[in-house]
Amino acid sequence: MLYKGLQLDRFQEEAIAAINQGASVIVTAPTGAGKTVIAEYAVEKCLEENRRVIYTAPIKALSNQKYRDFFTEYGDKIGIVTGDVVLNPHAQVLLMTTEIFRNTIFDDIERLQDVSYVIFDEIHYINDIERGTVWEESLIFAPQHIKFVCLSATIPNINPFADWMQSVRDVEIKVVEELKRPVPLEHHLYFKDYGVGTTKHIRALRNRAQQDARKRRYDQRKNRRVKALPSDFVETRLIPHLQLEKRLPCLYFCFSRKGCEGNASALAFGAQLQLLTETQRTEILKQFDELCVLFDIVEEKHIAKFRKLLSRGIAYHHAGMLPTLKEVVERLFTSGLIQLLFTTETFAVGINMPACTVVFDSLEKYDGIGFRYLKAREYHQMAGRAGRRGIDTIGYVYSQIIPAYADEREIKSVVTDKVEAIESQFNLSYSSILNLYNKYGDDIYDVYTMSLSNHQNRTRVANLNNQIEVKTENLRTLPKPECIHDGIDATQQIQKHYRDERNREKRIQSLHVEIAQVKSRTRKKKQQRERVKRLNAIQKKIIVVQREAEQSLCEGCQHLQTCTNRSKTIRRVETQLQKLKKRSTFIENDPRQQISARLKVLEELGYTAGQTLLPRGSTAAHIYGYEIQLTQLLFKGVFERLTEDEINCLMVAIISEPRKDGYFKRLEDENLLEIFYGVSSEISDIQNLELKHGVTEITPMLELRLCTAMLAWSQGCEFENLEKYARLDAGDFVRNFRLVIDQLRQIRRAMVGHTALVDKLNRCIDKINRDVVDAERQLRIGQENLAETESGNGDEIEDPTSPQNPSDAEAEDAVPIAP
């Protein structure tokens, strides 16, 4: 089958056939295999049939990229709604984050009545511990007429997943699986300071590295022989090796921002590495300068240094950069001029920017608690960016390890082809519970039975019950202790024997302590008689305790060891059995208990009563994220009493996450501090209720570190001056300020009808949403630039069925906004 001039692969044809039959389809295929073609076909088919389609993505960057791609081809038939941007929200094809789609289901499900297909890109995000529940809720509660196209590179348990999905969806679901990559990968290890090898070289290189370390420390003899490296091991430095073997461009994954910038600078300025020809150098600088002018970042900090990096074909990309600069890097990388891009792992999610080679700076990462090895899924998600279809015949993957500390078992488990199964992360938030309680009342507990979590837990419980049966039967057949004395329960007797023995040991130990104390207190010569008397009395007590052992029926019995061994075996199996039963009970009951616990908190706070939502509950149901704190403050009139700047300051304290490092200027406004003290007291009351009822995820406290920066920004501070108030990366300022805007928009939507407060919230948003923080401005600039440079676009495509675009305020509220 030909589509857009391309000969489709078997799996693409199967998926398209399922769409033509009106079915839902789950597609799993390696990164770079061409899953996007299937999504594009679904979009085009809906456009031809004048039906609506929603394309959801896990991250805003991917939503923005897809919007640009589709807008270039279909013009005004495309719209986008994320927490940052609302453009043409009534369009026939709507790009959005998965949170927005889920929120639309709960807030205004009627808006989805004319939607034919929903495309879930990167569906394996259902495994994400923080956000996975959003995908699950979306699949369960979306209107049953909606069909889904689910795309993923990594679902090893695709058939059980499809079975669950079919259990909650009426439309037939077809599974399409492709295991073969169009561009095969070669996996290598780079042993730092030694060279390139594979997993079979780990042991030899670890021994060599440890030997070299010992020699450097202790061995001053110059002529000591060192064992030779394996003959098939390539002694080299990594980047020169890639350059020599013509394996550039390269995506180099680092798991820290400092690592990205430090590696780039070290190679460009320290090693003076040059990866571009003079012609390429001229072209990349020309494009960079034009893009900097376009996005108005010519005067931004570090731009000159970044330009020098690019002149050598090297760059970096991470979340701490200005979003506009990140977009510039993405465009330059797409052009093929950047030869070596140091980036964090978010670059691996969905963004269609493959390279010839992928390098891992390490196979270990810090996860917020400690360092751990990557999961196989994480490794393959990033490694899948290697190999450009139609350009490369092989994609290359190199993982850097420190040979002296290499853990062979862990490394092999990471780079193996066996990827971990996806697991449900179903965990209803307060707002989700309120929406479901409003619809189902006390039947909300039955909703849990529809979840993937329950589907997987049934399998887990069945497996545990099988183990319990085996252990129970094993316990029944185990030989039991047999007492030679008539009428004695041998099991109880042996347990009593050892229990009494332990007690005797404790008593004797205590008496020995008493002896030491007597000796210490009666050292003087005139106390000698008293000393002897008291020691004799204690010694008599010890003898009495020791003689008690002789009264035990087990003491001196020739069968004692046999009975002891049998008793220990029985106790061990009983302990294992108890753990299995406890685990089974926990798996069955804990999710329901958490729903019940949250409902009790909501009831005590005055959000629900008699299976209905009270005014507080109705408000919180329309706010996604921080809903309880915000609703409590709204109903106490806090927002009416505060100025716009103070509201913005409070909001950033609510959404900010705690940080242990970095400089933050302390908030000195006594009035604000007094307000925050009252808010903290309110949150403490919520936390106490949660602890009382056993809620596992406790409502977070305020974090004041960004308050002075937000106050300055809200009052008109220039972006480059924010560093006086907090030592934070530019991208982090932007991200936090945009999160505040998202949350303010949600409050505004929940407060429709409260005109004065809505007007105040609009002013709050306007004070923050300016300059580089304005995501919609950035997307429009990029969109217009693409439209100008794209040849053959002609006139803009107009959709006669779409309503006219509403005003900005109306557009923002037309579809729910979420963080």
Side-chain angles (χ1 to χ4, degrees), residues 505-520:
E505 289 174 355
K506 288 179 181 178
R507 287 160 62 192
I508 290 173
Q509 186 179 9
S510 176
L511 289 168
H512 280 298
V513 170
E514 193 174 338
I515 288 173
Q517 291 173 343
V518 169
K519 288 180 177 179
S520 174

Side-chain angles (χ1 to χ4, degrees), residues 371-567:
F371 284 92
R372 64 166 176 84
Y373 275 89
L374 296 177
K375 294 178 180 177
R377 179 186 298 106
E378 295 170 321
Y379 172 82
H380 285 285
Q381 179 75 27
M382 289 179 266
R385 294 292 159 201
R388 298 161 296 175
R389 192 170 188 176
I391 301 175
D392 303 315
T393 55
I394 296 175
Y396 299 94
V397 184
Y398 293 82
S399 302
Q400 177 172 266
I401 63 174
I402 310 298
Y405 305 103
D407 187 319
E408 186 174 2
R409 183 183 62 83
E410 289 280 10
I411 292 169
K412 286 183 176 179
S413 71
V414 172
V415 302
T416 181
D417 287 334
K418 187 178 180 182
V419 177
E420 303 89 355
I422 61 171
E423 299 286 344
S424 169
Q425 305 297 335
F426 193 68
N427 180 27
L428 294 174
S429 64
Y430 283 112
S431 58
S432 294
I433 286 174
L434 286 165
N435 280 288
L436 295 173
Y437 192 68
N438 189 43
K439 185 174 181 179
Y440 298 102
D442 286 341
D443 291 337
I444 188 174
Y445 297 103
D446 295 333
V447 171
Y448 169 69
T449 64
M450 301 166 64
S451 68
L452 175 61
S453 172
N454 186 61
H455 188 79
Q456 292 178 331
N457 282 344
R458 283 201 301 267
T459 302
R460 293 190 185 100
V461 169
N463 291 335
L464 287 169
N465 287 341
N466 288 336
Q467 294 179 54
I468 289 169
E469 287 181 16
V470 171
K471 291 286 183 188
T472 302
E473 180 60 23
N474 184 23
L475 185 62
R476 190 183 65 79
T477 58
L478 285 175
K480 296 177 175 51
E482 295 179 358
C483 189
I484 59 176
H485 302 281
D486 294 336
I488 299 296
D489 185 320
T491 300
Q492 290 185 5
Q493 180 58 37
I494 197 73
Q495 291 174 356
K496 181 179 184 303
H497 171 75
Y498 285 108
R499 185 170 59 249
D500 291 345
E501 189 176 76
R502 287 192 297 271
N503 289 335
R504 286 193 296 272
E505 289 174 355
K506 288 179 181 178
R507 287 160 62 192
I508 290 173
Q509 186 179 9
S510 176
L511 289 168
H512 280 298
V513 170
E514 193 174 338
I515 288 173
Q517 291 173 343
V518 169
K519 288 180 177 179
S520 174
R521 294 169 184 169
T522 56
R523 292 177 178 176
K524 297 179 181 179
K525 190 173 182 180
K526 63 180 180 179
Q527 295 175 312
Q528 187 172 1
R529 181 177 294 179
E530 180 188 354
R531 180 182 187 180
V532 172
K533 181 181 177 181
R534 290 173 64 180
L535 289 177
N536 286 340
I538 295 171
Q539 196 62 44
K540 286 178 182 178
K541 290 180 182 178
I542 291 175
I543 292 171
V544 170
V545 173
Q546 289 173 338
R547 285 177 178 171
E548 287 178 2
E550 300 172 3
Q551 300 173 14
S552 172
L553 295 177
C554 296
E555 190 68 26
C557 179
Q558 61 181 344
H559 299 294
L560 177 61
Q561 191 59 50
T562 301
C563 289
T564 299
N565 291 340
R566 290 180 176 182
S567 179

Side-chain angles (χ1 to χ4, degrees), residues 57-66 80 82-85 97 131 735 738-739 742 818-819:
I59 59 173
K60 293 169 185 174
L62 183 53
S63 295
N64 292 345
Q65 184 195 43
K66 293 296 181 186
I80 182 171
T82 68
D84 297 336
V85 178
T97 55
R131 302 172 60 208
R735 184 180 68 85
R738 286 179 178 179
L739 283 174
D742 291 349

Side-chain angles (χ1 to χ4, degrees), residues 126-338:
I126 204 167
N127 191 82
D128 186 85
I129 194 166
E130 293 182 352
R131 302 172 60 208
T133 187
V134 174
W135 275 257
E136 208 163 326
E137 292 170 36
S138 299
L139 289 169
I140 294 171
F141 302 116
Q144 285 295 340
H145 73 274
I146 288 180
K147 299 175 283 290
F148 287 91
V149 175
C150 301
L151 308 175
S152 176
T154 49
I155 307 183
N157 53 334
I158 187 170
N159 289 319
F161 176 78
D163 290 343
W164 163 73
M165 191 168 161
Q166 189 66 79
S167 73
V168 297
R169 305 301 305 170
D170 292 344
V171 177
E172 181 186 5
I173 296 169
K174 295 195 175 181
V175 173
V176 176
E177 190 171 15
E178 175 60 63
L179 301 177
K180 183 180 178 182
R181 282 184 56 90
V183 181
L185 297 182
E186 272 189 16
H187 297 268
H188 303 272
L189 297 179
Y190 173 64
F191 297 84
K192 190 176 181 182
D193 298 328
Y194 288 88
V196 174
T198 63
T199 53
K200 71 180 181 180
H201 296 120
I202 293 174
R203 193 167 301 175
L205 266 294
R206 184 177 61 225
N207 293 339
R208 171 65 178 270
Q210 290 172 350
Q211 185 181 3
D212 288 347
R214 287 194 298 270
K215 185 177 180 180
R216 284 193 298 271
R217 291 174 188 170
Y218 309 117
D219 193 356
Q220 302 302 318
R221 291 174 293 176
K222 302 295 183 184
N223 298 321
R224 183 170 179 174
R225 295 184 64 184
V226 176
K227 188 175 180 180
L229 292 170
S231 59
D232 57 348
F233 182 81
V234 181
E235 295 188 66
T236 183
R237 298 288 180 178
L238 181 56
I239 303 304
H241 172 74
L242 298 181
Q243 194 173 14
L244 179 65
E245 297 293 328
K246 300 189 185 320
R247 294 180 181 179
L248 298 174
C250 168
L251 279 176
Y252 196 118
F253 286 107
C254 302
F255 297 116
S256 75
R257 300 173 185 181
K258 288 182 179 178
C260 290
E261 297 187 19
N263 282 326
S265 296
L267 286 173
F269 307 136
Q272 295 292 309
L273 186 67
Q274 176 57 263
L275 301 176
L276 299 178
T277 65
E278 189 58 37
T279 301
Q280 290 173 322
R281 181 178 178 276
T282 302
E283 179 59 26
I284 197 172
L285 293 179
K286 175 176 176 290
Q287 289 189 28
F288 178 70
D289 292 342
E290 289 173 353
L291 288 168
C292 285
V293 170
L294 177 69
F295 288 106
D296 194 22
I297 56 173
V298 175
E299 302 299 325
E300 291 295 333
K301 193 176 180 181
H302 306 310
I303 286 294
K305 184 179 178 181
F306 202 89
R307 191 176 188 274
K308 290 181 181 178
L309 281 175
L310 286 171
S311 71
R312 296 182 176 274
I314 300 170
Y316 58 82
H317 181 287
H318 60 68
M321 298 166 61
L322 277 174
T324 42
L325 181 55
K326 282 199 298 180
E327 183 168 339
V328 169
V329 173
E330 289 163 14
R331 293 194 184 197
L332 291 175
F333 188 79
T334 303
S335 73
L337 292 169
I338 294 177

